Amino acid sequence: MPSHLTHSVPLAPSRSHDDASSSDIQQPQLEPKTRGGIPLSRLAGDKNLLRVLNESALDPSENASASSLDLPALLTSERMRRRSDISRVRPLEPSFTIAPEAIELPVITERALGASSAVRDPGITFREDAIVVPTKSSGGDPEIAPSFPSSLAPSILATDGDETSSTAPAISAVQKAVHRRKSLTHFLALCFCVFCMGWNDGTTGPMLPRIQEHYHVGFALVSLLFVFNTIGFISGAFANIYLTDKFGMGKVLVAGSMFQIAAYAMLSPAGPFPLMCTAFVFIGFGLSLQNAHCNGFVASLKRHAHTKMGFLHGSYGLGALISPLAATQFAKSSTHWSFHYIISAALYVVNMLILWTVFRGRPQQEVLEEEGESGTIEQTADTNKFKQVLGLKEVHVLSAFSLIYVGVEVTMGGWSVTYILERRHGSSSSGYIASGFFGGLMLGRILLLWLNKKIGERLALFLYALLAIFVEVTVWVVPSLIENAIAVSFVGLLLGPMYPILMNHSTTILPRWLLTACMGYIAAVGLAGSAILPFLTGLLASKFGIASLQPFVVSMMSTLIVIWAVIPRARLVPT
């Protein structure tokens, strides 16, 4: 039996549906004579059978019926023998040439390139989306269709060489490693910058009693330091938008460090009190610039932004934890207490060098592209960012929350030492209580990340605020130095995650291209709160005594819950 009849399916000319149906119905009739009860085939010279052979060596309809219907085994074997006999007769030359059919096949992926190239027939031409069976004149057999393994059929890979034009180039492992290293370098530089901010804020609490004693001022007058600090924060928030558009993120960060260095140089000699107030304006201005860009950069990331935001503000808590430990030692000296600001100036010199070395004065877009992030191109032409930022209602609600939160945070870290000294009769070592508060702040921002993800950040903030109020009430009503010190640390633990949650949530409701400007405004208003609420605390303390601290803090924490309920939920924002 010829092998090409038993192992391949021929390609027959296209026929109409009616012709195919009639072919199936009108089967060739068997001879009435039988031999041993088995039907005999027609003679090989029968003209009708020669005509059938001329059209197709195998009738597809009959072949299909033979393979798909349940025919008796003897009838099937006799039919195949009949066709084997007929195939020995030379068919008549056809009066026309049958064009080969093109079988439309989809294109397989690159995964099968190696396997598919191993089974290609050299007589088959591969195109992008079809295979063409060559004609008999080209040396191939028109009746033999190509066969493929079951894992590849019926798809063929296109090998035209222009397939890379429709797909993005793959990033090599080496390039990914470079992106990770750059991303880590940028993030660590920003963490050190925020660490210095925490160092600055943690200094104020232990220094307040010494400043009052040195300058012979009361609660109301020493609170002017916070007022001048607020002036620097607000002016820095509005200047940040213009400076960022003109010079870029890298240069503005370095400028913020320079303002900090100048301020500490004014504070270290323990000059007149007005000079100290001027220095606090410079501190507020520099902190406002740096805070805006640190938060805006991390919030713009598309990989692990929430986790990095938690660690970023955890570094703030670390700086605020270490600073009171050093400031308390200097505050014990009545002559060299201001030398603590020399250490602060040295830290900001190092910070300035790190920021310039890492970012090299480049804008945020270039820095993001260097670490493989597709930064958002900010629209700077023919736009009034001041008007657009201030026109967003969400910005003002977020800013109100930031003002109250940061105010409560700095009030707790600054005035708690004075409260313990006067109400719980603590010693000069009570300054370490501020370290406990900021240490809890740092741990809360890192250790509670899993809980934020598990129950959702919105619900988590409500939970933290309620628990913080409960713990703060114990500081108010329990007259125990040890209990108060532990409770203050737990208040810091519960307050810690709130600010990162606020910054993360702002990225879901604010336009991406205005994100840095909005972050700057929100952070500046928050820093203003770090001056306004401690100033109000000082006014209340001068009139009602330092015992008014606890009810004031509890009322501000309750206000946080109300504002958070008003803030819109996360939604899709324009990019």
Side-chain angles (χ1 to χ4, degrees):
M1 184 179 297
S3 62
H4 70 281
L5 292 179
T6 59
H7 296 287
S8 63
V9 178
L11 302 175
S14 301
R15 296 184 302 171
S16 65
H17 179 269
D18 296 335
D19 294 339
S21 302
S22 60
S23 175
D24 292 337
I25 297 173
Q26 298 179 3
Q27 300 284 348
Q29 300 294 327
L30 300 179
E31 291 293 333
K33 295 181 180 181
T34 60
R35 178 177 299 173
I38 301 175
L40 299 178
S41 64
R42 294 182 179 182
L43 295 177
D46 192 307
K47 294 182 178 180
N48 292 332
L49 293 179
L50 290 177
R51 179 177 58 81
V52 173
L53 180 62
N54 183 42
E55 292 180 356
S56 176
L58 274 178
D59 191 350
S61 63
E62 290 188 7
N63 181 59
S65 62
S67 62
S68 60
L69 298 180
D70 190 11
L71 297 179
L74 294 177
L75 180 59
T76 302
S77 59
E78 177 61 20
R79 180 171 295 179
M80 296 303 295
R81 187 182 61 80
R82 169 176 58 84
R83 295 195 177 280
S84 178
D85 294 338
I86 295 174
S87 64
R88 295 188 180 94
V89 181
R90 180 180 179 83
L92 298 177
E93 291 296 327
S95 58
F96 58 93
T97 303
I98 301 174
E101 271 192 21
I103 303 175
E104 297 293 331
L105 297 174
V107 179
I108 63 176
T109 59
E110 292 183 359
R111 294 191 302 269
L113 177 59
S116 62
S117 60
V119 296
R120 290 177 180 172
D121 193 297
I124 300 174
T125 302
F126 289 84
R127 294 206 318 246
E128 181 169 336
D129 58 351
I131 59 171
V132 178
V133 182
T135 60
K136 188 173 182 178
S137 60
S138 63
D141 193 340
E143 293 183 355
I144 300 179
S147 60
F148 302 95
S150 59
S151 60
L152 298 178
S155 300
I156 300 297
L157 174 66
T159 59
D160 279 356
D162 57 349
E163 55 202 84
T164 57
S165 60
S166 60
T167 58
I171 300 177
S172 64
V174 176
Q175 190 64 28
K176 289 182 179 179
V178 172
H179 288 168
R180 285 194 298 267
R181 186 176 69 253
K182 292 289 185 181
S183 177
L184 181 61
T185 303
H186 298 158
F187 180 66
L188 291 179
L190 294 178
C191 283
F192 184 76
C193 184
V194 176
F195 170 86
C196 293
M197 296 181 200
W199 175 277
N200 173 82
D201 291 347
T203 298
T204 307
M207 284 295 178
L208 272 181
R210 179 57 61 185
I211 292 173
Q212 287 180 275
E213 180 182 343
H214 180 80
Y215 291 105
H216 305 289
V217 294
F219 291 124
L221 196 56
V222 77
S223 298
L224 288 177
L225 295 177
F226 300 111
V227 174
F228 283 97
N229 216 0
T230 302
I231 296 174
F233 292 145
I234 297 298
S235 58
F238 289 102
N240 172 66
I241 299 176
Y242 170 77
L243 293 175
T244 302
D245 289 343
K246 187 172 181 62
F247 301 107
M249 180 192 76
K251 294 178 181 177
V252 173
L253 282 173
V254 173
S257 292
M258 295 175 67
F259 275 99
Q260 296 289 105
I261 295 170
Y264 294 130
M266 297 165 66
L267 291 173
S268 57
F273 189 74
L275 181 64
M276 176 170 279
C277 293
T278 305
F280 269 74
V281 174
F282 280 64
I283 289 176
F285 190 87
L287 287 179
S288 181
L289 298 180
Q290 294 179 325
N291 200 354
H293 284 285
C294 290
N295 285 288
F297 183 87
V298 175
S300 300
L301 299 177
K302 294 180 173 60
R303 298 191 296 265
H304 314 295
H306 288 200
T307 302
K308 288 184 176 180
M309 188 68 77
F311 279 93
L312 180 73
H313 290 282
S315 61
Y316 172 91
L318 179 62
L321 165 67
I322 298 175
S323 176
L325 300 178
T328 300
Q329 297 301 318
F330 282 94
K332 292 179 180 180
S333 173
S334 59
T335 56
H336 301 95
W337 61 271
S338 62
F339 288 1
H340 174 75
Y341 295 108
I342 298 177
I343 301 177
S344 301
L347 281 176
Y348 267 94
V349 169
V350 175
N351 181 51
M352 182 183 65
L353 295 176
I354 290 176
L355 292 175
W356 180 258
T357 303
V358 172
F359 298 106
R360 300 192 298 277
R362 294 170 298 170
Q364 177 175 305
Q365 177 72 18
E366 293 183 14
V367 178
L368 287 172
E369 291 174 354
E370 185 182 39
E371 61 179 70
E373 292 272 358
S374 55
T376 302
I377 299 177
E378 299 200 352
Q379 306 172 10
T380 58
D382 301 328
T383 59
N384 188 339
K385 282 191 176 181
F386 294 98
K387 182 178 179 180
Q388 293 180 353
V389 170
L390 297 178
L392 293 172
K393 296 183 297 183
E394 296 85 355
V395 168
H396 298 293
V397 181
L398 293 168
S399 299
F401 186 94
S402 178
L403 185 146
I404 301 296
Y405 170 80
V406 179
V408 169
E409 176 185 288
V410 177
T411 299
M412 287 287 299
W415 285 106
S416 292
V417 177
T418 305
Y419 179 85
I420 294 297
L421 284 172
E422 294 197 7
R423 299 294 298 178
R424 303 295 181 248
H425 309 292
S427 64
S428 58
S429 300
S430 299
Y432 296 125
I433 292 179
S435 291
F437 173 78
F438 287 112
L441 201 77
M442 176 193 68
L443 293 177
R445 291 174 174 177
I446 297 176
L447 299 182
L448 295 179
L449 281 173
W450 67 273
L451 184 60
N452 300 342
K453 296 179 181 179
K454 187 174 184 63
I455 67 176
E457 291 186 337
R458 186 175 182 86
L459 179 60
L461 196 142
F462 282 117
L463 177 63
Y464 298 148
L466 291 173
L467 292 177
I469 291 173
F470 173 77
V471 177
E472 186 64 23
V473 168
T474 66
V475 180
W476 182 3
V477 299
V478 177
S480 171
L481 176 61
I482 298 177
E483 191 279 338
N484 288 176
I486 297 175
V488 167
S489 300
F490 274 97
V491 170
L493 181 74
L494 295 169
L495 290 179
M498 292 186 184
Y499 196 75
I501 288 175
L502 175 71
M503 290 301 173
N504 290 333
H505 188 73
S506 64
T507 63
T508 65
I509 62 177
L510 297 177
R512 279 283 187 182
W513 71 276
L514 277 175
L515 192 57
T516 301
C518 292
M519 286 284 190
Y521 182 79
I522 295 170
V525 174
L527 292 173
S530 70
I532 293 174
L533 266 65
F535 173 70
L536 294 177
T537 303
L539 292 180
L540 292 172
S542 63
K543 186 172 181 62
F544 303 103
I546 194 62
S548 60
L549 172 66
Q550 303 307 327
F552 178 71
V553 169
V554 170
S555 64
M556 290 298 100
M557 290 181 180
S558 303
T559 307
L560 286 178
I561 297 178
V562 176
I563 298 176
W564 186 247
V566 176
I567 293 177
R569 294 178 179 270
R571 61 173 181 265
L572 293 177
V573 296
T575 58

